[in-house]
Amino acid sequence: MCGIVGYIGKREAYPILIKGLKRLEYRGYDSAGVALINKRDDLNVYKTKGKVADLENFCSDKDITGTVGIAHTRWATHGEPSSVNAHPHYSESKNLAIIHNGIIENYAQIKKNLINKGMHFRSDTDTEVLVQLIEYIQVTRKVPLLSAVQMALRQVIGAYAIALLDKREPNQIIAARKASPLVIGIGKDSGEFFLGSDASPIIEYTDQVVYLDDENIAVMRPGEPLKVVDIHNIALNPDVQTIDMNLGQIEKGGFPHFMLKEIFEQPECLKNCMRGRVVSRTVETRAMTDGKKEGPMQSHTEMGVVLSSIVDHRQQILNAHRIIIVACGTSWHAGLIGKQMLETYCRIPVDVEYASEFRYRNPVVTKDDVVIAISQSGETADTLAAIKLAKEKGAFIYGICNAIGSSIARATDTGTYIHVGPEIGVASTKAFTGQVTVLCLLALAVGKEKGTVSDKDYQEITTQLWDIPEKMKEVLKLNNKIADLSRTFTYARNFLYLGRGYSYPVALEGALKLKEISYIHAEGYPAAEMKHGPIALIDSDMPVVVIAPHDAMYEKVLSNIQEIKARDGRVIALVTKGDETISKIADEVIELPKTLECLEPLLATIPLQLLAYHVAVCKGKNVDQPRNLAKSVTVE
Ligand code: M6R
């Protein structure tokens, strides 16, 4: 998730671009850059690692004149955060410069073809591949920029929002999008145009905007009406809308808090997380007609998981005698779910350790162990220290991080990014479901290679995992119901969260969410452990959230609910849609779509995030920045 801003008109572009970048910095902040065309038609690109303030410093002695420009703040996906990988990217001849948000999935193949044709690359990014492809088409086919962009975009697979400058056509910005947002602001009398990943860099100047649709390309030339065509050159009528939102609302995508926005982003985040990793292929088989004769060809689709980390480090990972997961907080809860998946489908014993405990005892770690470090920020001091300790003891280190190029990502031997975009709310939400998804992909990929997961399970889990984003959308429709429910429980002083099997870590995560943002004491417990102590707490003032999907543990959890009801407890039950038994005894019921047992946490966590969020809002708490907490804990 990166930030894009652009300007073309009569004003100096640089101050508008910098201001816009600052407003978009919440989308990514590992590097930033700007491209400007000055009066002599020079195309100047300046970029640097770091924040927008670093870019300003970097540009302080440069030629920043020009009334046409594009700028970018980056959240790395391909290639570590560095000045070279920062956007804009020049084409080979430096006639073109591009900025991009999204992922070009087939960039490796395109890059290989272009290298074979003699082109050279400066960065590791997929974005540079796109600008090189556009230039290659422009030069070899002798077509104008717009046609080259259309031909190039017809070749690429993936997501993009791009803006492009060509110094030979200096009075023009070309922008296009597919699956990544892009908004165009129309200045007075079309004399000037603004561009943004969202409207936040635009609303100061105009309230007239056009939201580009997928595969649409906009051509902005000052003094001319906005031209919109699609990638097949069909002319389209731009739908100009008037926006009525303030800045804060826009950065938060219209949501009142980043936390709620991030909860709602989860279906999209999981798609990004699985993109290029969950693949389908058509398998052709010939049917036998009477047991002997060959019949007609038949085809069916098979799903599979591809993780480059497994391909590159096969030996170390497949030969692991033991896996040790180290993490903190929410990431540790994801690790508990990962343990169950890895043990079930890979038959490797897994220990899950609090990084802060692991680092201070002298744990038994050998060179046959694989240590999986899970961290959203990639900067958690305890997790980093745990990695260093395990490394010294010879273990192979696998990272599961969100922040690209973070300290933990760099300290590991290999790993998988969760690709859910920047998480701003202190309470981790989309990172948790991203981490669980990657752990599931890892368990499937390793299990398949080791032959410890059956073909049936492998196919079924991969297919159902792919369907999770759609099911998450169903769960998110419960938002209003959960908001109503929350009002009833705002004044509770304690909460208990119970679950078994895969639902136990969900209970822990639900309790943590409530604690950290509403300041209500909450405990997560394995449901069966209740009778060994916590049952003494239960009375009519104690709300008990029970995660009770229809899985192998169902009957057992049902008994636990009955035990609570017998003591006057108030039960909020999360059940599988269509459950008639628990619905009759629980006080409140939240229905979840059916999925496989190992994937239930991906759905069940969402209502608990929403419950914590709405309770905290009802109590008037600062949801995005709860007291005493920091987004990344870089101290011991
Ligand atoms: O960035 P990390 O995943 O390493 O952070 C770990 C914890 O600090 C973090 O999950 C924390 O518990 C969250 N505030 C939970 O919402």
Side-chain angles (χ1 to χ4, degrees):
M1 195 164 128
C2 307
I4 282 181
V5 56
Y7 174 77
I8 185 163
K10 292 195 178 77
R11 312 185 210 201
E12 279 301 298
Y14 180 78
I16 296 170
L17 298 177
I18 291 291
K19 206 180 220 183
L21 284 186
K22 285 185 178 160
R23 290 189 175 150
L24 289 172
E25 217 166 11
Y26 75 92
R27 298 178 65 88
Y29 32 72
D30 60 48
S31 50
V34 58
L36 295 154
I37 299 183
N38 69 13
K39 272 193 188 138
R40 295 184 303 281
D41 295 344
D42 301 322
L43 174 55
N44 293 316
V45 169
Y46 309 118
K47 50 189 189 169
T48 184
K49 188 177 169 182
K51 301 205 167 209
V52 178
D54 298 302
L55 177 67
E56 275 185 288
N57 280 340
F58 182 74
C59 290
S60 58
D61 57 351
K62 310 279 188 301
D63 171 12
I64 48 165
T65 61
T67 56
V68 184
I70 53 177
H72 189 265
T73 175
R74 181 169 185 245
W75 174 258
T77 57
H78 291 71
E80 58 164 21
S82 67
S83 305
V84 174
N85 288 335
H87 302 206
H89 288 282
Y90 276 128
S91 60
E92 181 107 5
S93 67
K94 297 198 172 176
N95 286 333
L96 308 182
I98 196 171
I99 53 176
H100 167 222
N101 171 27
I103 297 173
I104 306 297
E105 285 161 29
N106 57 340
Y107 82 102
Q109 189 53 46
I110 299 174
K111 186 170 182 173
K112 203 168 144 196
N113 292 344
L114 292 174
I115 289 173
N116 287 340
K117 311 254 188 240
M119 298 192 85
H120 305 90
F121 287 82
R122 304 172 184 100
S123 77
D124 304 321
T125 64
D126 50 339
T127 306
E128 190 186 9
V129 174
L130 183 54
V131 73
Q132 294 279 58
L133 176 64
I134 293 169
E135 174 153 277
Y136 179 77
I137 295 171
Q138 221 185 1
V139 171
T140 53
R141 303 275 188 98
K142 298 190 174 47
V143 291
L145 181 63
L146 176 60
S147 310
V149 170
Q150 287 167 324
M151 288 182 204
L153 293 182
R154 292 203 294 265
Q155 287 186 37
V156 303
I157 301 170
Y160 55 80
I162 56 166
L164 204 69
L165 298 181
D166 183 340
K167 68 190 227 181
R168 294 153 307 174
E169 299 181 47
N171 278 321
Q172 166 184 281
I173 298 178
I174 289 190
R177 74 150 261 175
K178 183 180 181 186
S180 291
L182 209 50
V183 190
I184 294 165
I186 302 176
K188 287 211 177 76
D189 309 324
S190 308
E192 57 183 356
F193 294 98
F194 304 84
L195 186 68
S197 300
D198 62 37
S200 63
I202 297 174
I203 50 167
E204 186 178 334
Y205 310 100
T206 176
D207 60 358
Q208 299 296 294
V209 297
V210 172
Y211 291 91
L212 280 191
D213 284 331
D214 277 353
E215 301 196 333
N216 284 187
I217 303 173
V219 182
M220 288 160 267
R221 294 194 189 112
E224 291 181 22
L226 178 69
K227 173 175 167 178
V228 180
V229 291
D230 72 5
I231 59 169
H232 305 286
N233 205 28
I234 310 276
L236 301 160
N237 263 339
D239 176 16
V240 182
Q241 302 180 25
T242 305
I243 36 167
D244 180 20
M245 269 200 241
N246 66 37
L247 210 56
Q249 284 171 309
I250 287 169
E251 283 172 353
K252 291 175 187 149
F255 290 95
H257 298 97
F258 280 111
M259 182 182 174
L260 192 60
K261 173 174 177 262
E262 287 158 6
I263 292 172
F264 270 82
E265 276 173 358
Q266 288 177 104
E268 208 47 48
C269 292
L270 257 59
K271 280 191 207 160
N272 286 340
C273 180
M274 289 190 276
R275 191 172 278 142
R277 294 168 175 167
V278 173
V279 291
S280 65
R281 67 185 183 113
T282 309
V283 181
E284 302 225 310
T285 46
R286 194 175 287 284
M288 303 298 277
T289 44
D290 59 2
K292 284 186 193 134
K293 270 203 214 144
E294 285 193 343
M297 288 297 279
Q298 291 178 337
S299 66
H300 68 277
T301 306
E302 277 189 359
M303 303 287 277
V305 175
V306 181
L307 281 186
S308 55
S309 52
I310 308 293
V311 178
D312 298 344
H313 300 275
R314 207 173 173 279
Q315 287 313 317
Q316 291 96 328
I317 298 168
L318 298 193
N319 295 336
H321 288 189
R322 181 174 60 143
I323 292 174
I324 306 168
I325 296 179
V326 291
C328 302
T330 288
S331 301
W332 185 80
H333 296 155
L336 292 177
I337 295 168
K339 171 186 165 78
Q340 297 186 48
M341 292 169 169
L342 289 160
E343 289 190 339
T344 308
Y345 301 114
C346 310
R347 308 310 300 155
I348 303 174
V350 182
D351 294 333
V352 187
E353 299 260 8
Y354 283 117
S356 52
E357 291 294 317
F358 179 85
R359 63 177 289 197
Y360 285 118
R361 52 187 180 77
N362 185 9
V364 180
V365 181
T366 74
K367 59 176 179 30
D368 297 321
D369 292 330
V370 168
V371 167
I372 301 180
I374 308 176
S375 174
Q376 184 287 129
S377 61
E379 301 296 344
T380 301
D382 285 324
T383 310
L384 194 55
I387 292 174
K388 283 187 186 146
L389 178 68
K391 237 184 188 175
E392 278 162 25
K393 290 175 181 284
F396 181 80
I397 318 287
Y398 193 106
I400 297 179
C401 293
N402 191 30
I404 315 277
S406 54
S407 306
I408 292 175
R410 279 183 281 121
T412 51
D413 294 306
T414 187
T416 304
Y417 285 115
I418 61 174
H419 286 321
V420 299
E423 194 179 62
I424 310 290
V426 164
S428 189
T429 51
K430 59 180 183 171
F432 176 76
T433 44
Q435 290 162 346
V436 172
T437 302
V438 164
L439 286 160
C440 183
L441 295 176
L442 185 61
L444 290 171
V446 174
K448 177 79 174 167
E449 288 281 320
K450 285 181 65 124
T452 44
V453 59
S454 68
D455 282 346
K456 180 175 167 288
D457 281 349
Y458 181 78
Q459 278 304 311
E460 217 172 22
I461 299 170
T462 316
T463 310
Q464 294 260 356
L465 181 63
W466 187 249
D467 292 341
I468 286 288
E470 285 311 308
K471 293 185 178 173
M472 280 181 153
K473 288 184 190 164
E474 284 295 302
V475 179
L476 287 166
K477 289 185 189 153
L478 296 168
N479 185 38
N480 289 342
K481 177 183 170 142
I482 295 171
D484 290 344
L485 189 79
S486 305
R487 281 189 269 281
T488 322
F489 295 101
T490 303
Y491 298 102
R493 293 169 61 89
N494 300 286
F495 261 77
L496 202 56
Y497 286 72
L498 302 176
R500 297 184 77 157
Y502 280 105
S503 299
Y504 163 52
V506 177
L508 293 177
E509 177 58 8
L512 176 61
K513 286 293 88 94
L514 188 74
K515 271 189 268 219
E516 68 179 327
I517 59 168
S518 75
Y519 318 147
I520 295 176
H521 170 250
E523 266 194 78
Y525 243 81
E529 277 293 302
M530 191 182 58
K531 53 186 172 295
H532 299 286
I535 199 162
L537 294 169
I538 289 172
D539 60 18
S540 56
D541 291 331
M542 171 70 95
V544 187
V545 179
V546 188
I547 301 117
H550 212 283
D551 59 22
M553 290 292 172
Y554 180 78
E555 298 297 336
K556 309 272 175 212
V557 178
L558 178 58
S559 306
N560 298 138
I561 293 177
Q562 265 146 354
E563 287 157 14
I564 302 164
K565 284 312 298 171
R567 283 153 189 88
D568 248 4
R570 295 173 70 190
V571 172
I572 305 164
L574 269 61
V575 300
T576 305
K577 212 171 257 174
D579 185 310
E580 287 178 358
T581 314
I582 294 181
S583 308
K584 285 190 190 122
I585 45 176
D587 299 83
E588 305 287 348
V589 170
I590 296 168
E591 288 195 323
L592 303 171
K594 184 156 183 50
T595 187
L596 298 174
E597 189 163 348
C598 64
L599 305 178
E600 280 162 356
L602 293 168
L603 302 179
T605 306
I606 294 178
L608 305 189
Q609 295 168 344
L610 289 169
L611 181 69
Y613 170 79
H614 288 296
V615 170
V617 169
C618 286
K619 289 176 79 83
K621 304 298 178 203
N622 184 343
V623 172
D624 284 332
Q625 287 165 341
R627 71 183 180 203
N628 308 339
L629 288 172
K631 184 62 189 161
S632 60
V633 186
T634 53
V635 290
E636 287 185 23

